[in-house]
Amino acid sequence: MSRSNILFLMTDQHRVDTLGAYGNGADTTPVLDELARTGTRFDRWYTPTAICTPARASLLTGQAPFRHKVLANHERNVGYREDLPTDAFTFSEALKEDGYNCGLVGKWHVGTERTAPDFGFDGPDLPGWHNPVEHPDYLAYLDEHGLPPYEISDHVRGTLPNGGPGNLLAARLHQPVEATFEHYLATRTIEMLERYAADAREGTPFFLQLNFFGPHLPYILPDEYFDLVDPETVELPRSVAETFQGKPPVQRNYSAHWTFDTMPIEVTRKLIAVYRGYVALIDTEIGRVMDALARLGLVDDTAVFFTCDHGEFTGAHRLHDKGPAMYEDIYRTPGLLRLPGQQPGVERGEFVSLLDCTATILDIAGLDPKLAVDSRSLLPLTRTGEVEWEDDIVCEFHGHHFPYPQRMLREDRYKLVVNPDSVNELYDLHVDPDELLNVHDHPEMREVRDRMMRRLYEVLRERGDNFYHWMTSMYDVGEVAYDPTLSGLDESTYRRARG
């Protein structure tokens, strides 16, 4: 696999159940389904944290969020670090130093002061959390091709608890597909791919990353995709029946923030339909890039990844977007990888992470995957057969809009979520795959709960994630490593007072 080219395709806020390869029967993702058919599909692929900037910083560095400490999006930052330190390891700089061309087209969102070029990437600097439709390069693209400007109507939004208008969730775009930001991103990627292909023929490999800003809300689409899916055919998620009984109160608050109950259920169906249309648009644009890869004769020399930073609620649990609720909807995501010459149609059930892409990229490039300290190379899993692998995964969250620390342990049947400010959560995913019933305090679950709490504690302590300190004193997981009474200090204080 030494010095293969790498094409990394990434979306934002992408539900796993929108892909045919993961069971969706609507046939709206033929390109990604073909990638799954010819490569490896990972069925338990998780994000390290379900929020954009920390997840993307983890991909870049191969470090878990608690370690790199870029823990929140700039737009809603609650006091955390906003940029990686200048001495942080990044795979892009390692590849660049090893002679790779490195390009990135699309969403960056890893920091504010240091942008993609600061980490060795070629490509336009496209800041922000959603399509920057006022960006000069996009406007130049529209002008060059005689395409109309951005204009929207049919806004979909609810009503906030304060009586004001809620966040924009979707809108109709009055532009042809060729003018969409998604088409623009694919075009710029193809142009860069053509430049890199010439160097690749002379022995210089490339890493090229295409980051779509969607299908993150608001879902803004032209007619062809806004109306692609009939809302009448949309099956609502079963967790729309969420009552929040026995759940952390923050979830009910977030539901109010995202205005779910202020909109008719028909609007929820339309939002889900438009979201799936957005996924279909992105699949079409990825198809253009894959066609270019074939036209340039690069298929047999290029590893191709597809994944996203995290998932999306789209009405599940009466929520939208993401937030302090560690449900499968936003933590389990699609993950596909095709290597040159690999056996097609490999399906793996091990717990893997977006974090593991970092070590895998290094491994494909012939570099040491251990440079990515919290990451594991996925290359052994791209073949059939038994592979020694951990049978659980830990995820974390630190806040969005306000600080809110959480840790999660997910294993085959059960999921444990520790919420220091509130009730903890335990779900039996075999019986309750929609995570509606919190069984954490059910007496018959004590053995499972205690076992998983100790396992989570051990993993966090081994990693150096100081969240474990709270667990030490609050749960039956281990002994504190210091004298919590500070008895020695007390005695000396008393002696001084008496003297």
mmCIF file with all atom_site columns, all heavy atoms in Angstrom, residues 344-365:
data_model
loop_
_atom_site.group_PDB
_atom_site.id
_atom_site.type_symbol
_atom_site.label_atom_id
_atom_site.label_alt_id
_atom_site.label_comp_id
_atom_site.label_asym_id
_atom_site.label_entity_id
_atom_site.label_seq_id
_atom_site.pdbx_PDB_ins_code
_atom_site.Cartn_x
_atom_site.Cartn_y
_atom_site.Cartn_z
_atom_site.occupancy
_atom_site.B_iso_or_equiv
_atom_site.pdbx_formal_charge
_atom_site.auth_seq_id
_atom_site.auth_comp_id
_atom_site.auth_asym_id
_atom_site.auth_atom_id
_atom_site.pdbx_PDB_model_num
ATOM 1   N N   . PRO A 1 344 ? -13.617 -7.012 -3.020 1.00 0.00 ? 344 PRO A N   1
ATOM 2   C CA  . PRO A 1 344 ? -14.824 -6.191 -2.918 1.00 0.00 ? 344 PRO A CA  1
ATOM 3   C C   . PRO A 1 344 ? -15.821 -6.744 -1.908 1.00 0.00 ? 344 PRO A C   1
ATOM 4   O O   . PRO A 1 344 ? -15.775 -7.917 -1.531 1.00 0.00 ? 344 PRO A O   1
ATOM 5   C CB  . PRO A 1 344 ? -15.404 -6.247 -4.334 1.00 0.00 ? 344 PRO A CB  1
ATOM 6   C CG  . PRO A 1 344 ? -14.942 -7.562 -4.874 1.00 0.00 ? 344 PRO A CG  1
ATOM 7   C CD  . PRO A 1 344 ? -13.571 -7.777 -4.282 1.00 0.00 ? 344 PRO A CD  1
ATOM 8   N N   . GLY A 1 345 ? -16.712 -5.865 -1.478 1.00 0.00 ? 345 GLY A N   1
ATOM 9   C CA  . GLY A 1 345 ? -17.844 -6.287 -0.677 1.00 0.00 ? 345 GLY A CA  1
ATOM 10  C C   . GLY A 1 345 ? -17.532 -6.767 0.719  1.00 0.00 ? 345 GLY A C   1
ATOM 11  O O   . GLY A 1 345 ? -18.272 -7.580 1.278  1.00 0.00 ? 345 GLY A O   1
ATOM 12  N N   . VAL A 1 346 ? -16.463 -6.264 1.332  1.00 0.00 ? 346 VAL A N   1
ATOM 13  C CA  . VAL A 1 346 ? -16.134 -6.654 2.701  1.00 0.00 ? 346 VAL A CA  1
ATOM 14  C C   . VAL A 1 346 ? -17.047 -5.879 3.663  1.00 0.00 ? 346 VAL A C   1
ATOM 15  O O   . VAL A 1 346 ? -17.235 -4.673 3.519  1.00 0.00 ? 346 VAL A O   1
ATOM 16  C CB  . VAL A 1 346 ? -14.658 -6.368 3.023  1.00 0.00 ? 346 VAL A CB  1
ATOM 17  C CG1 . VAL A 1 346 ? -14.342 -6.685 4.484  1.00 0.00 ? 346 VAL A CG1 1
ATOM 18  C CG2 . VAL A 1 346 ? -13.750 -7.170 2.091  1.00 0.00 ? 346 VAL A CG2 1
ATOM 19  N N   . GLU A 1 347 ? -17.612 -6.569 4.640  1.00 0.00 ? 347 GLU A N   1
ATOM 20  C CA  . GLU A 1 347 ? -18.472 -5.945 5.644  1.00 0.00 ? 347 GLU A CA  1
ATOM 21  C C   . GLU A 1 347 ? -17.910 -6.261 7.019  1.00 0.00 ? 347 GLU A C   1
ATOM 22  O O   . GLU A 1 347 ? -17.674 -7.418 7.353  1.00 0.00 ? 347 GLU A O   1
ATOM 23  C CB  . GLU A 1 347 ? -19.907 -6.469 5.521  1.00 0.00 ? 347 GLU A CB  1
ATOM 24  C CG  . GLU A 1 347 ? -20.538 -6.200 4.159  1.00 0.00 ? 347 GLU A CG  1
ATOM 25  C CD  . GLU A 1 347 ? -21.891 -6.858 4.000  1.00 0.00 ? 347 GLU A CD  1
ATOM 26  O OE1 . GLU A 1 347 ? -22.378 -7.455 5.003  1.00 0.00 ? 347 GLU A OE1 1
ATOM 27  O OE2 . GLU A 1 347 ? -22.465 -6.806 2.903  1.00 0.00 ? 347 GLU A OE2 1
ATOM 28  N N   . ARG A 1 348 ? -17.695 -5.215 7.816  1.00 0.00 ? 348 ARG A N   1
ATOM 29  C CA  . ARG A 1 348 ? -17.094 -5.405 9.133  1.00 0.00 ? 348 ARG A CA  1
ATOM 30  C C   . ARG A 1 348 ? -18.013 -4.876 10.222 1.00 0.00 ? 348 ARG A C   1
ATOM 31  O O   . ARG A 1 348 ? -18.639 -3.824 10.081 1.00 0.00 ? 348 ARG A O   1
ATOM 32  C CB  . ARG A 1 348 ? -15.746 -4.692 9.235  1.00 0.00 ? 348 ARG A CB  1
ATOM 33  C CG  . ARG A 1 348 ? -14.711 -5.081 8.204  1.00 0.00 ? 348 ARG A CG  1
ATOM 34  C CD  . ARG A 1 348 ? -14.286 -6.534 8.222  1.00 0.00 ? 348 ARG A CD  1
ATOM 35  N NE  . ARG A 1 348 ? -13.866 -7.076 9.495  1.00 0.00 ? 348 ARG A NE  1
ATOM 36  C CZ  . ARG A 1 348 ? -12.953 -8.031 9.630  1.00 0.00 ? 348 ARG A CZ  1
ATOM 37  N NH1 . ARG A 1 348 ? -12.326 -8.524 8.554  1.00 0.00 ? 348 ARG A NH1 1
ATOM 38  N NH2 . ARG A 1 348 ? -12.659 -8.507 10.811 1.00 0.00 ? 348 ARG A NH2 1
ATOM 39  N N   . GLY A 1 349 ? -18.066 -5.605 11.346 1.00 0.00 ? 349 GLY A N   1
ATOM 40  C CA  . GLY A 1 349 ? -18.915 -5.235 12.468 1.00 0.00 ? 349 GLY A CA  1
ATOM 41  C C   . GLY A 1 349 ? -18.157 -4.739 13.675 1.00 0.00 ? 349 GLY A C   1
ATOM 42  O O   . GLY A 1 349 ? -18.760 -4.479 14.717 1.00 0.00 ? 349 GLY A O   1
ATOM 43  N N   . GLU A 1 350 ? -16.831 -4.579 13.552 1.00 0.00 ? 350 GLU A N   1
ATOM 44  C CA  . GLU A 1 350 ? -16.059 -4.063 14.683 1.00 0.00 ? 350 GLU A CA  1
ATOM 45  C C   . GLU A 1 350 ? -16.401 -2.589 14.939 1.00 0.00 ? 350 GLU A C   1
ATOM 46  O O   . GLU A 1 350 ? -16.802 -1.859 14.048 1.00 0.00 ? 350 GLU A O   1
ATOM 47  C CB  . GLU A 1 350 ? -14.557 -4.190 14.413 1.00 0.00 ? 350 GLU A CB  1
ATOM 48  C CG  . GLU A 1 350 ? -14.029 -5.608 14.451 1.00 0.00 ? 350 GLU A CG  1
ATOM 49  C CD  . GLU A 1 350 ? -14.192 -6.370 13.144 1.00 0.00 ? 350 GLU A CD  1
ATOM 50  O OE1 . GLU A 1 350 ? -14.830 -5.811 12.205 1.00 0.00 ? 350 GLU A OE1 1
ATOM 51  O OE2 . GLU A 1 350 ? -13.699 -7.504 13.059 1.00 0.00 ? 350 GLU A OE2 1
ATOM 52  N N   . PHE A 1 351 ? -16.199 -2.165 16.197 1.00 0.00 ? 351 PHE A N   1
ATOM 53  C CA  . PHE A 1 351 ? -16.394 -0.757 16.545 1.00 0.00 ? 351 PHE A CA  1
ATOM 54  C C   . PHE A 1 351 ? -15.167 0.041  16.089 1.00 0.00 ? 351 PHE A C   1
ATOM 55  O O   . PHE A 1 351 ? -14.068 -0.156 16.600 1.00 0.00 ? 351 PHE A O   1
ATOM 56  C CB  . PHE A 1 351 ? -16.590 -0.597 18.050 1.00 0.00 ? 351 PHE A CB  1
ATOM 57  C CG  . PHE A 1 351 ? -17.924 -1.060 18.533 1.00 0.00 ? 351 PHE A CG  1
ATOM 58  C CD1 . PHE A 1 351 ? -18.056 -2.269 19.198 1.00 0.00 ? 351 PHE A CD1 1
ATOM 59  C CD2 . PHE A 1 351 ? -19.057 -0.286 18.330 1.00 0.00 ? 351 PHE A CD2 1
ATOM 60  C CE1 . PHE A 1 351 ? -19.290 -2.704 19.656 1.00 0.00 ? 351 PHE A CE1 1
ATOM 61  C CE2 . PHE A 1 351 ? -20.306 -0.710 18.777 1.00 0.00 ? 351 PHE A CE2 1
ATOM 62  C CZ  . PHE A 1 351 ? -20.427 -1.925 19.439 1.00 0.00 ? 351 PHE A CZ  1
ATOM 63  N N   . VAL A 1 352 ? -15.384 0.928  15.125 1.00 0.00 ? 352 VAL A N   1
ATOM 64  C CA  . VAL A 1 352 ? -14.309 1.769  14.618 1.00 0.00 ? 352 VAL A CA  1
ATOM 65  C C   . VAL A 1 352 ? -14.758 3.225  14.688 1.00 0.00 ? 352 VAL A C   1
ATOM 66  O O   . VAL A 1 352 ? -15.909 3.534  14.956 1.00 0.00 ? 352 VAL A O   1
ATOM 67  C CB  . VAL A 1 352 ? -13.908 1.378  13.185 1.00 0.00 ? 352 VAL A CB  1
ATOM 68  C CG1 . VAL A 1 352 ? -13.446 -0.068 13.131 1.00 0.00 ? 352 VAL A CG1 1
ATOM 69  C CG2 . VAL A 1 352 ? -15.056 1.614  12.203 1.00 0.00 ? 352 VAL A CG2 1
ATOM 70  N N   . SER A 1 353 ? -13.829 4.125  14.406 1.00 0.00 ? 353 SER A N   1
ATOM 71  C CA  . SER A 1 353 ? -14.086 5.543  14.634 1.00 0.00 ? 353 SER A CA  1
ATOM 72  C C   . SER A 1 353 ? -13.540 6.398  13.494 1.00 0.00 ? 353 SER A C   1
ATOM 73  O O   . SER A 1 353 ? -12.575 6.015  12.812 1.00 0.00 ? 353 SER A O   1
ATOM 74  C CB  . SER A 1 353 ? -13.425 5.972  15.950 1.00 0.00 ? 353 SER A CB  1
ATOM 75  O OG  . SER A 1 353 ? -13.441 7.361  16.123 1.00 0.00 ? 353 SER A OG  1
ATOM 76  N N   . LEU A 1 354 ? -14.132 7.571  13.339 1.00 0.00 ? 354 LEU A N   1
ATOM 77  C CA  . LEU A 1 354 ? -13.541 8.590  12.457 1.00 0.00 ? 354 LEU A CA  1
ATOM 78  C C   . LEU A 1 354 ? -12.087 8.823  12.825 1.00 0.00 ? 354 LEU A C   1
ATOM 79  O O   . LEU A 1 354 ? -11.236 9.063  11.955 1.00 0.00 ? 354 LEU A O   1
ATOM 80  C CB  . LEU A 1 354 ? -14.344 9.889  12.590 1.00 0.00 ? 354 LEU A CB  1
ATOM 81  C CG  . LEU A 1 354 ? -13.799 11.124 11.876 1.00 0.00 ? 354 LEU A CG  1
ATOM 82  C CD1 . LEU A 1 354 ? -13.862 10.948 10.364 1.00 0.00 ? 354 LEU A CD1 1
ATOM 83  C CD2 . LEU A 1 354 ? -14.561 12.374 12.299 1.00 0.00 ? 354 LEU A CD2 1
ATOM 84  N N   . LEU A 1 355 ? -11.785 8.738  14.124 1.00 0.00 ? 355 LEU A N   1
ATOM 85  C CA  . LEU A 1 355 ? -10.404 8.873  14.593 1.00 0.00 ? 355 LEU A CA  1
ATOM 86  C C   . LEU A 1 355 ? -9.458  7.896  13.908 1.00 0.00 ? 355 LEU A C   1
ATOM 87  O O   . LEU A 1 355 ? -8.279  8.199  13.697 1.00 0.00 ? 355 LEU A O   1
ATOM 88  C CB  . LEU A 1 355 ? -10.358 8.610  16.098 1.00 0.00 ? 355 LEU A CB  1
ATOM 89  C CG  . LEU A 1 355 ? -10.218 9.772  17.065 1.00 0.00 ? 355 LEU A CG  1
ATOM 90  C CD1 . LEU A 1 355 ? -10.383 9.280  18.483 1.00 0.00 ? 355 LEU A CD1 1
ATOM 91  C CD2 . LEU A 1 355 ? -8.881  10.462 16.893 1.00 0.00 ? 355 LEU A CD2 1
ATOM 92  N N   . ASP A 1 356 ? -9.960  6.714  13.564 1.00 0.00 ? 356 ASP A N   1
ATOM 93  C CA  . ASP A 1 356 ? -9.096  5.687  12.984 1.00 0.00 ? 356 ASP A CA  1
ATOM 94  C C   . ASP A 1 356 ? -8.678  6.001  11.546 1.00 0.00 ? 356 ASP A C   1
ATOM 95  O O   . ASP A 1 356 ? -7.770  5.352  11.017 1.00 0.00 ? 356 ASP A O   1
ATOM 96  C CB  . ASP A 1 356 ? -9.796  4.328  13.048 1.00 0.00 ? 356 ASP A CB  1
ATOM 97  C CG  . ASP A 1 356 ? -10.031 3.866  14.474 1.00 0.00 ? 356 ASP A CG  1
ATOM 98  O OD1 . ASP A 1 356 ? -9.191  4.184  15.336 1.00 0.00 ? 356 ASP A OD1 1
ATOM 99  O OD2 . ASP A 1 356 ? -11.056 3.208  14.728 1.00 0.00 ? 356 ASP A OD2 1
ATOM 100 N N   . CYS A 1 357 ? -9.319  6.975  10.941 1.00 0.00 ? 357 CYS A N   1
ATOM 101 C CA  . CYS A 1 357 ? -8.905  7.372  9.587  1.00 0.00 ? 357 CYS A CA  1
ATOM 102 C C   . CYS A 1 357 ? -7.487  7.929  9.588  1.00 0.00 ? 357 CYS A C   1
ATOM 103 O O   . CYS A 1 357 ? -6.746  7.743  8.618  1.00 0.00 ? 357 CYS A O   1
ATOM 104 C CB  . CYS A 1 357 ? -9.860  8.426  9.027  1.00 0.00 ? 357 CYS A CB  1
ATOM 105 S SG  . CYS A 1 357 ? -11.512 7.821  8.658  1.00 0.00 ? 357 CYS A SG  1
ATOM 106 N N   . THR A 1 358 ? -7.101  8.608  10.664 1.00 0.00 ? 358 THR A N   1
ATOM 107 C CA  . THR A 1 358 ? -5.787  9.257  10.690 1.00 0.00 ? 358 THR A CA  1
ATOM 108 C C   . THR A 1 358 ? -4.669  8.233  10.570 1.00 0.00 ? 358 THR A C   1
ATOM 109 O O   . THR A 1 358 ? -3.774  8.368  9.723  1.00 0.00 ? 358 THR A O   1
ATOM 110 C CB  . THR A 1 358 ? -5.640  10.069 11.995 1.00 0.00 ? 358 THR A CB  1
ATOM 111 O OG1 . THR A 1 358 ? -6.863  10.710 12.304 1.00 0.00 ? 358 THR A OG1 1
ATOM 112 C CG2 . THR A 1 358 ? -4.540  11.103 11.848 1.00 0.00 ? 358 THR A CG2 1
ATOM 113 N N   . ALA A 1 359 ? -4.686  7.212  11.409 1.00 0.00 ? 359 ALA A N   1
ATOM 114 C CA  . ALA A 1 359 ? -3.666  6.167  11.333 1.00 0.00 ? 359 ALA A CA  1
ATOM 115 C C   . ALA A 1 359 ? -3.748  5.421  10.006 1.00 0.00 ? 359 ALA A C   1
ATOM 116 O O   . ALA A 1 359 ? -2.724  5.006  9.446  1.00 0.00 ? 359 ALA A O   1
ATOM 117 C CB  . ALA A 1 359 ? -3.822  5.189  12.494 1.00 0.00 ? 359 ALA A CB  1
ATOM 118 N N   . THR A 1 360 ? -4.961  5.253  9.477  1.00 0.00 ? 360 THR A N   1
ATOM 119 C CA  . THR A 1 360 ? -5.130  4.538  8.207  1.00 0.00 ? 360 THR A CA  1
ATOM 120 C C   . THR A 1 360 ? -4.511  5.319  7.065  1.00 0.00 ? 360 THR A C   1
ATOM 121 O O   . THR A 1 360 ? -3.841  4.751  6.189  1.00 0.00 ? 360 THR A O   1
ATOM 122 C CB  . THR A 1 360 ? -6.623  4.293  7.935  1.00 0.00 ? 360 THR A CB  1
ATOM 123 O OG1 . THR A 1 360 ? -7.228  3.729  9.095  1.00 0.00 ? 360 THR A OG1 1
ATOM 124 C CG2 . THR A 1 360 ? -6.812  3.360  6.758  1.00 0.00 ? 360 THR A CG2 1
ATOM 125 N N   . ILE A 1 361 ? -4.717  6.633  7.051  1.00 0.00 ? 361 ILE A N   1
ATOM 126 C CA  . ILE A 1 361 ? -4.104  7.483  6.021  1.00 0.00 ? 361 ILE A CA  1
ATOM 127 C C   . ILE A 1 361 ? -2.587  7.366  6.083  1.00 0.00 ? 361 ILE A C   1
ATOM 128 O O   . ILE A 1 361 ? -1.910  7.207  5.050  1.00 0.00 ? 361 ILE A O   1
ATOM 129 C CB  . ILE A 1 361 ? -4.562  8.947  6.209  1.00 0.00 ? 361 ILE A CB  1
ATOM 130 C CG1 . ILE A 1 361 ? -6.048  9.094  5.856  1.00 0.00 ? 361 ILE A CG1 1
ATOM 131 C CG2 . ILE A 1 361 ? -3.710  9.899  5.365  1.00 0.00 ? 361 ILE A CG2 1
ATOM 132 C CD1 . ILE A 1 361 ? -6.666  10.400 6.318  1.00 0.00 ? 361 ILE A CD1 1
ATOM 133 N N   . LEU A 1 362 ? -2.036  7.439  7.284  1.00 0.00 ? 362 LEU A N   1
ATOM 134 C CA  . LEU A 1 362 ? -0.577  7.307  7.436  1.00 0.00 ? 362 LEU A CA  1
ATOM 135 C C   . LEU A 1 362 ? -0.099  5.945  6.964  1.00 0.00 ? 362 LEU A C   1
ATOM 136 O O   . LEU A 1 362 ? 0.933   5.832  6.283  1.00 0.00 ? 362 LEU A O   1
ATOM 137 C CB  . LEU A 1 362 ? -0.199  7.521  8.898  1.00 0.00 ? 362 LEU A CB  1
ATOM 138 C CG  . LEU A 1 362 ? -0.462  8.916  9.485  1.00 0.00 ? 362 LEU A CG  1
ATOM 139 C CD1 . LEU A 1 362 ? -0.231  8.906  10.986 1.00 0.00 ? 362 LEU A CD1 1
ATOM 140 C CD2 . LEU A 1 362 ? 0.423   9.961  8.811  1.00 0.00 ? 362 LEU A CD2 1
ATOM 141 N N   . ASP A 1 363 ? -0.845  4.901  7.307  1.00 0.00 ? 363 ASP A N   1
ATOM 142 C CA  . ASP A 1 363 ? -0.476  3.538  6.915  1.00 0.00 ? 363 ASP A CA  1
ATOM 143 C C   . ASP A 1 363 ? -0.482  3.395  5.397  1.00 0.00 ? 363 ASP A C   1
ATOM 144 O O   . ASP A 1 363 ? 0.436   2.794  4.807  1.00 0.00 ? 363 ASP A O   1
ATOM 145 C CB  . ASP A 1 363 ? -1.460  2.560  7.549  1.00 0.00 ? 363 ASP A CB  1
ATOM 146 C CG  . ASP A 1 363 ? -0.868  1.180  7.773  1.00 0.00 ? 363 ASP A CG  1
ATOM 147 O OD1 . ASP A 1 363 ? 0.317   0.971  7.435  1.00 0.00 ? 363 ASP A OD1 1
ATOM 148 O OD2 . ASP A 1 363 ? -1.588  0.304  8.289  1.00 0.00 ? 363 ASP A OD2 1
ATOM 149 N N   . ILE A 1 364 ? -1.507  3.919  4.743  1.00 0.00 ? 364 ILE A N   1
ATOM 150 C CA  . ILE A 1 364 ? -1.590  3.855  3.278  1.00 0.00 ? 364 ILE A CA  1
ATOM 151 C C   . ILE A 1 364 ? -0.407  4.579  2.644  1.00 0.00 ? 364 ILE A C   1
ATOM 152 O O   . ILE A 1 364 ? 0.138   4.140  1.621  1.00 0.00 ? 364 ILE A O   1
ATOM 153 C CB  . ILE A 1 364 ? -2.921  4.455  2.797  1.00 0.00 ? 364 ILE A CB  1
ATOM 154 C CG1 . ILE A 1 364 ? -4.088  3.553  3.202  1.00 0.00 ? 364 ILE A CG1 1
ATOM 155 C CG2 . ILE A 1 364 ? -2.914  4.670  1.287  1.00 0.00 ? 364 ILE A CG2 1
ATOM 156 C CD1 . ILE A 1 364 ? -5.445  4.163  2.954  1.00 0.00 ? 364 ILE A CD1 1
ATOM 157 N N   . ALA A 1 365 ? 0.025   5.682  3.268  1.00 0.00 ? 365 ALA A N   1
ATOM 158 C CA  . ALA A 1 365 ? 1.133   6.474  2.732  1.00 0.00 ? 365 ALA A CA  1
ATOM 159 C C   . ALA A 1 365 ? 2.498   5.895  3.078  1.00 0.00 ? 365 ALA A C   1
ATOM 160 O O   . ALA A 1 365 ? 3.523   6.451  2.673  1.00 0.00 ? 365 ALA A O   1
ATOM 161 C CB  . ALA A 1 365 ? 1.032   7.903  3.255  1.00 0.00 ? 365 ALA A CB  1
#
